[in-house]
């Protein structure tokens, strides 16, 4: 599909409103044929309906013929509901600048029952929503503001075609104060390596995304995200981003101070810990929450990015995590999938062992790979041979939901997962 067609297929309409989340009710039933739960749920009085748009059914139309395709074609989601199975990864960054108010509202409108604020700290130790401590140069307009660009770890340096060098910049949240952070505007995550001016550098959006909704991008503190998520009626999954600066920061702000501060803001805002799913790629952070902030222990999420080896995929490894108190494991999609002898997508040993150890699993991230005609790239690397069209995305979602048994899927376009959840009766 061409970029212009993709843009047209994903347009959103309507106004923001509060959403009431149904409780997660487990995975879909096993059979494809016969009676189906179609996700036609009654809305709570006063709540606007979720808007899913044409993309989910466009993906179904693109699927190869299969029992799953025929079942999804019969699905009628006339009154879609939000679902905790659908997690807004940075909001809805397929088309909206990530971690902005606009991106979060779009994700909630698409039925994401959980929204993510990746958390980084500013120079004055205030918590803000950014995917990385050092991504301001690609996700905001900071390099175009001379007085703030000058404070960057690496201020903008233009490309030099004669010397064969590319443009450079590195701007960290810890380079600037919260007041300075709030002067920035979010943009689509991209940069132009051949730029000779700051205005050129902030361009470069991938052709399968769009700048259609990048005319405004309101950056948010974690506290502002909490207030917004409460108003939207969604649950919350903050991720403690691994610092790129030496910790303790400035000698006295430790990793544990940072980890505690992140969750304390939810307590201070009166958020029930049962509505919070704190995440980290560092197991020590997760164990700190489990042991020192036990109200959050049951839903503390270990983001596992370790390479697949016999040890890290073993039942013994999974049982060791469970013995330390970890209950929720979140690996990349590809780690949970493999191909059997017939070329079918099936759960990997990693996934089977995690489930056998009693770990809940969350998958990341759907709708992040662009068109799938050439195998899907990094997120599909273990099943590349089975991926040759965009419709294969729903084959992956179905195996994750029905066979792996994940309790949620992060997506850059939550409508895709919300639609499946409604079709299959996943609340």
């Amino acid at each position: 599909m061409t970029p212009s067609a993709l843009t047209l297929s994903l347009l959103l309409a309507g106004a923001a409103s509060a959403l009431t989340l149904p409780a997660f009710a487990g995975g879909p039933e096993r059979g494809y044929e016969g009676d189906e739960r179609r996700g036609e749920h009654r809305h709570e009085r006063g709540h606007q309906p979720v808007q899913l748009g044409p993309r989910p059914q466009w993906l179904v139309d693109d699927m190869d013929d299969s029992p799953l395709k025929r079942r999804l074609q019969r699905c009628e989601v006339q009154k879609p509901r939000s679902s905790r199975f659908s997690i807004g990864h940075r909001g809805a960054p397929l088309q909206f600048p990530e971690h902005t108010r606009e991106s979060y509202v779009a994700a909630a409108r698409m039925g994401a029952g959980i929204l993510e604020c990746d958390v980084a700290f500013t120079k004055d130790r205030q918590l803000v929503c950014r995917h990385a401590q050092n991504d301001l140069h690609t996700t905001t307009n900071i390099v175009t503001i001379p007085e703030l660009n000058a404070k960057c770890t690496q201020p903008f340096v233009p490309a030099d075609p004669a010397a064969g060098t590319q443009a450079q910049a590195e701007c960290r949240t810890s380079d600037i104060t919260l007041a300075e952070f709030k002067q920035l505007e979010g943009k689509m995550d991209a940069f132009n390596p051949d730029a000779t001016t700051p205005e050129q550098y902030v361009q470069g959006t991938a052709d399968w995304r769009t700048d259609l909704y990048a005319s405004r991008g309101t950056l948010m503190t974690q506290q502002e995200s909490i207030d917004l998520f409460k108003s939207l009626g969604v649950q919350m999954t903050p991720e403690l981003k691994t610092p790129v600066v030496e910790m303790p920061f400035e000698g006295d702000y430790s990793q544990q101070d940072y980890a505690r501060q992140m969750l304390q803001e939810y307590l201070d805002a009166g958020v029930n810990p049962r509505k919070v799913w704190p995440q980290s790629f560092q197991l020590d952070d997760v164990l700190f929450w489990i042991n020192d902030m036990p109200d959050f222990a049951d839903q503390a999420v270990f983001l596992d990015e370790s390479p697949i080896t016999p040890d890290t995929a073993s039942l013994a490894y999974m049982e060791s995590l469970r013995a330390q108190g970890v209950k929720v494991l979140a690996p990349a999609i590809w780690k949970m999938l493999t191909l059997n002898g017939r070329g079918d997508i099936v759960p990997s040993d990693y996934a089977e062992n995690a489930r056998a150890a009693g770990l809940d699993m969350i998958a990341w991230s759907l709708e992040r790979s662009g068109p799938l005609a050439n195998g899907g790239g990094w997120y599909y690397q273990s099943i590349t041979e089975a991926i040759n069209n965009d419709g294969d995305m729903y084959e992956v979602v179905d195996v994750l939901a029905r066979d792996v048994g994940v309790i949620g899927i992060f997506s850059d376009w939550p409508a895709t997962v919300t639609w499946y959840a409604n079709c299959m009766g996943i609340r």
Side-chain angles (χ1 to χ4, degrees), residues 62-326:
D62 196 50
M63 294 175 68
D64 298 330
D65 184 54
S66 68
L68 174 63
K69 178 175 182 174
R70 292 192 292 273
R71 175 172 186 173
L72 294 178
Q73 286 176 322
R74 294 195 300 270
C75 183
E76 297 177 6
V77 184
Q78 296 178 355
K79 295 182 179 180
R81 290 288 301 269
S82 61
S83 171
R84 282 189 359 225
F85 189 72
S86 177
I87 306 173
H89 180 243
R90 316 185 200 180
L94 181 63
Q95 291 208 27
F96 290 81
E98 63 185 46
H99 292 306
T100 61
R101 187 183 194 282
E102 293 77 12
S103 189
Y104 291 143
V105 170
R109 286 174 175 166
M110 287 187 274
I114 303 175
L115 295 181
E116 177 187 49
C117 169
D118 290 329
V119 177
F121 57 85
T122 61
K123 185 175 181 62
D124 48 350
R125 305 177 188 183
Q126 301 300 302
L127 302 183
V128 296
C129 298
R130 285 293 92 197
H131 176 65
Q133 188 180 47
N134 62 335
D135 72 359
L136 293 181
H137 51 292
T138 64
T139 64
T140 77
N141 63 336
I142 189 170
V143 300
T144 68
I145 304 174
E147 61 272 24
L148 298 184
N149 174 64
K151 296 186 176 186
C152 290
T153 296
Q154 171 60 72
F156 171 73
V157 176
D160 185 342
T165 59
Q166 296 184 333
Q168 300 179 49
E170 183 186 353
C171 302
R172 303 174 177 177
T173 58
S174 55
D175 289 335
I176 57 176
T177 66
L178 177 59
E180 292 166 335
F181 176 84
K182 294 294 286 183
Q183 296 177 39
L184 305 177
E185 293 182 358
K187 70 177 193 68
M188 297 300 285
D189 184 12
F191 73 101
N192 176 5
D194 299 321
T196 57
T197 67
E199 290 71 25
Q200 292 174 349
Y201 185 81
V202 297
Q203 299 173 7
T205 301
D207 59 9
W208 47 270
R209 289 181 171 154
T210 181
D211 287 317
L212 187 62
Y213 300 109
S215 58
R216 66 181 189 272
T218 307
L219 299 193
M220 305 197 77
T221 66
Q222 178 181 245
Q223 183 58 63
E224 288 171 335
S225 79
I226 293 170
D227 294 341
L228 176 63
F229 297 170
K230 288 170 67 176
S231 75
L232 294 171
V234 300
Q235 295 196 7
M236 313 169 192
T237 182
E239 181 188 334
L240 194 75
K241 300 308 297 188
T242 302
V244 297
V245 296
E246 184 177 350
M247 299 294 280
F249 178 60
E250 297 182 334
D252 63 351
Y253 182 63
S254 70
Q255 182 72 19
Q256 290 190 349
D257 292 334
Y258 175 35
R260 182 183 293 105
Q261 181 184 358
M262 186 182 86
L263 295 190
Q264 188 62 47
E265 288 196 359
Y266 288 86
L267 296 175
D268 293 345
V271 177
N272 187 330
R274 297 297 301 171
K275 296 182 178 181
V276 182
W277 302 75
Q279 316 167 67
S280 178
F281 279 102
Q282 295 194 49
L283 181 58
D284 286 347
D285 294 335
V286 177
L287 297 180
F288 170 75
W289 294 324
I290 290 170
N291 295 317
D292 285 58
M293 306 186 79
D295 288 346
F296 296 92
D298 287 349
Q299 295 177 173
V301 180
F302 175 40
L303 297 162
D304 184 10
E305 62 178 347
S306 61
I308 289 283
T309 68
D311 288 338
T312 60
S314 69
L315 179 59
Y317 174 70
M318 302 302 175
E319 289 177 335
S320 73
L321 293 176
R322 192 68 184 81
Q324 294 175 82
V326 177

Side-chain angles (χ1 to χ4, degrees), residues 1 55 58-59 62 208 333 365-380 383-397:
M1 184 167 64
R55 180 164 175 77
W58 182 88
L59 290 171
D62 196 50
W208 47 270
I333 288 170
S365 295
L366 205 70
E367 295 279 28
R368 192 150 186 85
S369 303
L372 304 186
N374 296 318
W378 190 87
Y379 287 94
Y380 299 85
I383 54 170
T384 296
E385 294 177 5
I387 303 297
N388 57 31
N389 61 59
D390 292 333
D392 287 334
M393 198 179 306
Y394 272 134
E395 299 287 352
V396 169
V397 170

